Amino acid sequence: MITIGKLADYAGVTMKAIRHYHEWGLLPEPGRDSSGYRRYTAQDAIALVKIRTLADAGVPLARVKELLDGGQETLEAAIDEIDRDLQDRVARLLATREHLAQLRGGDRLFVSPDVAAYLDDLRELGVSERHIQTERDGWILMRTASPDDATAWITEKRELMTDRTFRALCLDYDAAYDWSPDDPRLPGLAERTRAWFTDHDSHTETRPVQNPAIAELAIRSLPGASSPAWDRIARLMQD
Protein backbone atom coordinates (compact mmCIF):
# COMPACT_ATOMS: atom_id res chain seq x y z
CA MET A 1 0.00 0.00 0.00
CA ILE A 2 1.39 3.41 -0.95
CA THR A 3 0.57 7.01 -0.12
CA ILE A 4 -0.63 9.59 -2.61
CA GLY A 5 2.81 11.23 -2.55
CA LYS A 6 4.58 8.00 -3.48
CA LEU A 7 1.98 7.27 -6.15
CA ALA A 8 2.59 10.68 -7.68
CA ASP A 9 6.33 10.04 -7.73
CA TYR A 10 5.93 6.64 -9.35
CA ALA A 11 3.63 7.93 -12.12
CA GLY A 12 5.46 11.21 -12.70
CA VAL A 13 2.50 13.43 -11.88
CA THR A 14 1.59 15.80 -9.08
CA MET A 15 -0.67 15.02 -6.17
CA LYS A 16 -2.93 17.80 -7.48
CA ALA A 17 -3.25 15.92 -10.76
CA ILE A 18 -4.23 12.74 -8.92
CA ARG A 19 -6.96 14.60 -7.04
CA HIS A 20 -8.09 16.10 -10.34
CA TYR A 21 -8.37 12.62 -11.84
CA HIS A 22 -10.42 11.59 -8.82
CA GLU A 23 -12.81 14.46 -9.52
CA TRP A 24 -13.17 13.38 -13.15
CA GLY A 25 -13.90 9.82 -12.08
CA LEU A 26 -10.86 8.51 -13.95
CA LEU A 27 -9.11 7.09 -10.91
CA PRO A 28 -11.28 5.67 -8.12
CA GLU A 29 -10.57 7.09 -4.70
CA PRO A 30 -9.31 4.39 -2.34
CA GLY A 31 -10.50 4.01 1.21
CA ARG A 32 -8.62 5.53 4.11
CA ASP A 33 -6.65 3.65 6.69
CA SER A 34 -7.04 3.99 10.46
CA SER A 35 -4.88 7.10 10.37
CA GLY A 36 -7.15 8.75 7.83
CA TYR A 37 -4.73 8.48 4.90
CA ARG A 38 -5.62 7.15 1.48
CA ARG A 39 -3.68 4.05 0.56
CA TYR A 40 -3.11 3.12 -3.08
CA THR A 41 -2.25 -0.18 -4.69
CA ALA A 42 -0.09 -1.24 -7.62
CA GLN A 43 -3.25 -1.36 -9.77
CA ASP A 44 -3.85 2.29 -8.97
CA ALA A 45 -0.29 3.06 -10.11
CA ILE A 46 -0.86 1.17 -13.40
CA ALA A 47 -4.18 2.96 -13.99
CA LEU A 48 -2.57 6.32 -13.25
CA VAL A 49 0.25 5.70 -15.74
CA LYS A 50 -2.34 4.88 -18.41
CA ILE A 51 -4.27 8.05 -17.64
CA ARG A 52 -1.13 10.16 -17.73
CA THR A 53 0.02 8.56 -21.01
CA LEU A 54 -3.29 9.28 -22.74
CA ALA A 55 -3.45 12.82 -21.35
CA ASP A 56 0.13 13.53 -22.47
CA ALA A 57 -0.79 12.28 -25.96
CA GLY A 58 -3.46 14.96 -26.18
CA VAL A 59 -6.52 12.90 -25.32
CA PRO A 60 -9.11 15.15 -23.62
CA LEU A 61 -9.83 14.02 -20.07
CA ALA A 62 -13.50 13.72 -21.00
CA ARG A 63 -12.55 10.82 -23.32
CA VAL A 64 -9.91 9.10 -21.22
CA LYS A 65 -12.36 6.91 -19.29
CA GLU A 66 -14.09 5.87 -22.51
CA LEU A 67 -10.75 4.73 -23.96
CA LEU A 68 -9.62 2.99 -20.80
CA ASP A 69 -12.90 1.07 -20.62
CA GLY A 70 -12.99 0.27 -24.35
CA GLY A 71 -11.12 -2.42 -26.25
CA GLN A 72 -8.05 -2.16 -28.44
CA GLU A 73 -10.08 -1.26 -31.54
CA THR A 74 -11.75 1.62 -29.70
CA LEU A 75 -8.37 2.86 -28.54
CA GLU A 76 -6.80 2.66 -32.01
CA ALA A 77 -9.74 4.44 -33.63
CA ALA A 78 -9.58 7.20 -31.05
CA ILE A 79 -5.82 7.57 -31.51
CA ASP A 80 -6.30 7.95 -35.28
CA GLU A 81 -8.92 10.61 -34.69
CA ILE A 82 -6.76 12.47 -32.19
CA ASP A 83 -3.80 12.28 -34.58
CA ARG A 84 -5.87 13.87 -37.35
CA ASP A 85 -6.93 16.62 -34.98
CA LEU A 86 -3.31 17.22 -34.01
CA GLN A 87 -2.30 17.42 -37.66
CA ASP A 88 -5.00 20.04 -38.24
CA ARG A 89 -3.77 22.00 -35.22
CA VAL A 90 -0.19 21.81 -36.47
CA ALA A 91 -1.29 23.08 -39.90
CA ARG A 92 -3.13 26.00 -38.29
CA LEU A 93 -0.13 26.82 -36.10
CA LEU A 94 2.18 26.74 -39.11
CA ALA A 95 -0.18 29.06 -40.97
CA THR A 96 -0.17 31.40 -37.98
CA ARG A 97 3.64 31.38 -37.91
CA GLU A 98 3.68 32.18 -41.63
CA HIS A 99 1.38 35.14 -41.02
CA LEU A 100 3.64 36.32 -38.21
CA ALA A 101 6.63 36.08 -40.54
CA GLN A 102 4.74 38.17 -43.07
CA LEU A 103 4.04 40.75 -40.39
CA ARG A 104 7.78 41.01 -39.83
CA GLY A 105 8.04 41.66 -43.56
CA GLY A 106 6.19 44.96 -43.15
CA ASP A 107 4.66 46.13 -46.42
CA ARG A 108 4.69 42.65 -47.96
CA LEU A 109 1.75 41.61 -45.79
CA PHE A 110 -0.54 44.12 -47.49
CA VAL A 111 0.73 44.67 -51.03
CA SER A 112 2.15 42.68 -53.92
CA PRO A 113 5.89 41.86 -54.04
CA ASP A 114 6.38 44.41 -56.85
CA VAL A 115 4.75 47.19 -54.83
CA ALA A 116 6.73 46.23 -51.72
CA ALA A 117 9.94 46.36 -53.76
CA TYR A 118 8.94 49.79 -55.11
CA LEU A 119 8.33 51.06 -51.58
CA ASP A 120 11.76 49.74 -50.62
CA ASP A 121 13.19 51.67 -53.57
CA LEU A 122 11.59 54.83 -52.19
CA ARG A 123 13.05 54.19 -48.74
CA GLU A 124 16.49 53.65 -50.20
CA LEU A 125 16.11 56.88 -52.15
CA GLY A 126 15.39 58.76 -48.93
CA VAL A 127 11.69 59.55 -49.37
CA SER A 128 9.83 60.28 -46.13
CA GLU A 129 7.84 57.57 -44.33
CA ARG A 130 4.78 59.80 -44.62
CA HIS A 131 5.03 59.66 -48.39
CA ILE A 132 5.74 55.92 -48.38
CA GLN A 133 2.75 55.20 -46.15
CA THR A 134 0.48 57.24 -48.42
CA GLU A 135 1.83 55.38 -51.45
CA ARG A 136 1.30 52.02 -49.75
CA ASP A 137 -2.28 52.82 -48.76
CA GLY A 138 -3.00 54.01 -52.30
CA TRP A 139 -1.67 50.78 -53.76
CA ILE A 140 -3.83 48.76 -51.36
CA LEU A 141 -6.90 50.62 -52.62
CA MET A 142 -5.85 50.26 -56.24
CA ARG A 143 -5.11 46.56 -55.97
CA THR A 144 -8.57 46.00 -54.48
CA ALA A 145 -10.53 48.15 -56.92
CA SER A 146 -8.54 47.85 -60.17
CA PRO A 147 -6.03 45.00 -60.00
CA ASP A 148 -5.18 45.12 -63.72
CA ASP A 149 -4.51 48.86 -63.55
CA ALA A 150 -2.39 48.35 -60.43
CA THR A 151 -0.27 45.73 -62.18
CA ALA A 152 0.35 47.97 -65.18
CA TRP A 153 1.11 51.02 -63.07
CA ILE A 154 3.54 49.38 -60.70
CA THR A 155 5.44 47.87 -63.64
CA GLU A 156 5.91 51.35 -65.09
CA LYS A 157 6.70 52.89 -61.69
CA ARG A 158 9.52 50.44 -61.17
CA GLU A 159 10.90 51.24 -64.62
CA LEU A 160 10.72 54.97 -63.89
CA MET A 161 12.70 54.50 -60.68
CA THR A 162 15.71 53.57 -62.81
CA ASP A 163 15.73 57.12 -64.24
CA ARG A 164 17.97 59.52 -62.31
CA THR A 165 15.90 62.61 -63.15
CA PHE A 166 12.68 60.91 -62.09
CA ARG A 167 14.24 59.92 -58.76
CA ALA A 168 15.32 63.51 -58.20
CA LEU A 169 11.78 64.70 -58.92
CA CYS A 170 10.45 62.18 -56.38
CA LEU A 171 12.70 63.65 -53.70
CA ASP A 172 11.80 67.23 -54.62
CA TYR A 173 8.09 66.45 -54.60
CA ASP A 174 8.41 64.78 -51.23
CA ALA A 175 10.16 67.85 -49.83
CA ALA A 176 7.63 70.21 -51.44
CA TYR A 177 4.75 68.61 -49.52
CA ASP A 178 5.40 70.89 -46.54
CA TRP A 179 6.19 74.03 -48.52
CA SER A 180 3.92 77.04 -48.52
CA PRO A 181 1.70 77.22 -51.62
CA ASP A 182 3.38 80.60 -52.25
CA ASP A 183 6.88 79.15 -52.14
CA PRO A 184 8.90 80.59 -55.07
CA ARG A 185 10.40 77.16 -55.77
CA LEU A 186 7.07 75.66 -56.84
CA PRO A 187 6.90 77.09 -60.38
CA GLY A 188 10.35 75.74 -61.16
CA LEU A 189 9.45 72.29 -59.83
CA ALA A 190 6.23 72.31 -61.84
CA GLU A 191 8.11 73.28 -65.00
CA ARG A 192 10.76 70.57 -64.50
CA THR A 193 8.02 68.02 -63.92
CA ARG A 194 6.11 69.07 -67.02
CA ALA A 195 9.30 68.97 -69.10
CA TRP A 196 10.18 65.50 -67.87
CA PHE A 197 6.76 64.08 -68.69
CA THR A 198 6.83 65.79 -72.10
CA ASP A 199 10.02 63.88 -72.90
CA HIS A 200 8.84 60.56 -71.47
CA ASP A 201 5.74 58.83 -72.78
CA SER A 202 3.65 57.19 -70.07
CA HIS A 203 1.93 53.96 -70.99
CA THR A 204 -0.34 54.10 -67.97
CA GLU A 205 -1.25 57.79 -67.69
CA THR A 206 -3.29 57.56 -70.91
CA ARG A 207 -4.57 54.03 -70.27
CA PRO A 208 -8.34 53.89 -69.57
CA VAL A 209 -8.87 53.15 -65.89
CA GLN A 210 -11.23 50.27 -65.13
CA ASN A 211 -12.44 52.00 -61.99
CA PRO A 212 -11.80 55.76 -62.30
CA ALA A 213 -13.56 56.45 -59.00
CA ILE A 214 -10.69 54.85 -57.11
CA ALA A 215 -8.32 57.76 -57.77
CA GLU A 216 -10.86 60.23 -56.44
CA LEU A 217 -11.47 57.97 -53.45
CA ALA A 218 -7.76 57.88 -52.68
CA ILE A 219 -7.42 61.65 -52.87
CA ARG A 220 -10.43 62.24 -50.65
CA SER A 221 -9.82 59.54 -48.05
CA LEU A 222 -6.07 59.05 -47.69
CA PRO A 223 -4.33 61.36 -45.19
CA GLY A 224 -1.36 63.00 -46.85
CA ALA A 225 -2.53 62.26 -50.40
CA SER A 226 -2.16 65.94 -51.21
CA SER A 227 -1.15 69.27 -49.70
CA PRO A 228 -1.63 72.97 -50.60
CA ALA A 229 1.80 73.03 -52.23
CA TRP A 230 1.10 69.91 -54.27
CA ASP A 231 -2.27 71.30 -55.31
CA ARG A 232 -0.54 74.44 -56.60
CA ILE A 233 2.01 72.39 -58.54
CA ALA A 234 -0.89 70.59 -60.22
CA ARG A 235 -2.47 73.92 -61.18
CA LEU A 236 0.83 75.29 -62.48
CA MET A 237 1.31 72.24 -64.68
CA GLN A 238 -2.14 72.81 -66.22
CA ASP A 239 -1.44 76.47 -67.08
Side-chain angles (χ1 to χ4, degrees):
M1 305 293 282
I2 54 179
T3 64
I4 188 172
K6 289 294 184 181
L7 179 66
D9 289 340
Y10 292 153
V13 299
T14 64
M15 290 188 291
K16 182 178 180 180
I18 293 176
R19 295 188 181 99
H20 190 54
Y21 296 153
H22 287 327
E23 292 173 1
W24 276 81
L26 303 178
L27 184 68
E29 290 190 52
R32 298 178 182 271
D33 62 15
S34 58
S35 300
Y37 293 103
R38 292 191 180 97
R39 296 296 179 179
Y40 295 86
T41 66
Q43 283 301 118
D44 293 322
I46 293 171
L48 183 57
V49 169
K50 290 181 178 179
I51 294 168
R52 185 209 64 197
T53 301
L54 290 174
D56 288 349
V59 177
L61 290 184
R63 298 198 60 188
V64 167
K65 184 172 177 55
E66 168 198 344
L67 299 187
L68 289 175
D69 293 342
Q72 185 63 25
E73 290 185 3
T74 301
L75 179 61
E76 290 179 357
I79 289 174
D80 288 341
E81 179 186 343
I82 292 167
D83 185 54
R84 288 192 297 271
D85 290 342
L86 288 174
Q87 290 182 46
D88 290 342
R89 287 171 57 190
V90 169
R92 290 195 295 272
L93 288 171
L94 289 174
T96 300
R97 291 197 66 198
E98 183 177 345
H99 291 158
L100 289 173
Q102 290 175 335
L103 281 172
R104 292 191 187 98
D107 298 324
R108 283 169 173 76
L109 179 63
F110 305 105
V111 297
S112 69
D114 280 344
V115 171
Y118 168 65
L119 297 178
D120 286 342
D121 290 340
L122 292 178
R123 287 192 180 91
E124 185 176 350
L125 182 63
V127 170
S128 68
E129 274 302 316
R130 171 197 50 76
H131 188 121
I132 292 170
Q133 181 175 341
T134 301
E135 284 260 5
R136 181 196 63 203
D137 292 347
W139 286 110
I140 292 172
L141 280 175
M142 178 55 66
R143 174 65 64 179
T144 301
S146 299
D148 290 340
D149 291 324
T151 299
W153 289 353
I154 193 57
T155 298
E156 183 173 63
K157 280 281 192 179
R158 302 227 45 210
E159 291 175 357
L160 293 178
M161 287 298 291
T162 64
D163 185 282
R164 180 180 301 177
T165 304
F166 181 80
R167 293 201 303 272
L169 284 173
C170 284
L171 283 173
D172 291 343
Y173 253 80
D174 184 44
Y177 181 89
D178 294 317
W179 295 354
S180 164
D182 299 322
D183 193 293
R185 294 170 289 182
L186 292 179
L189 179 55
E191 180 56 35
R192 283 193 292 122
T193 304
R194 179 163 46 197
W196 190 90
F197 277 103
T198 298
D199 294 338
H200 296 79
D201 293 331
S202 171
H203 304 297
T204 57
E205 293 293 333
T206 58
R207 182 175 185 266
V209 180
Q210 294 177 8
N211 192 340
I214 194 64
E216 183 66 19
L217 174 64
I219 292 173
R220 291 181 179 276
S221 62
L222 292 181
S226 190
S227 75
W230 282 6
D231 290 342
R232 186 173 178 221
I233 290 174
R235 292 194 299 270
L236 288 169
M237 290 179 63
Q238 293 172 359
D239 293 340

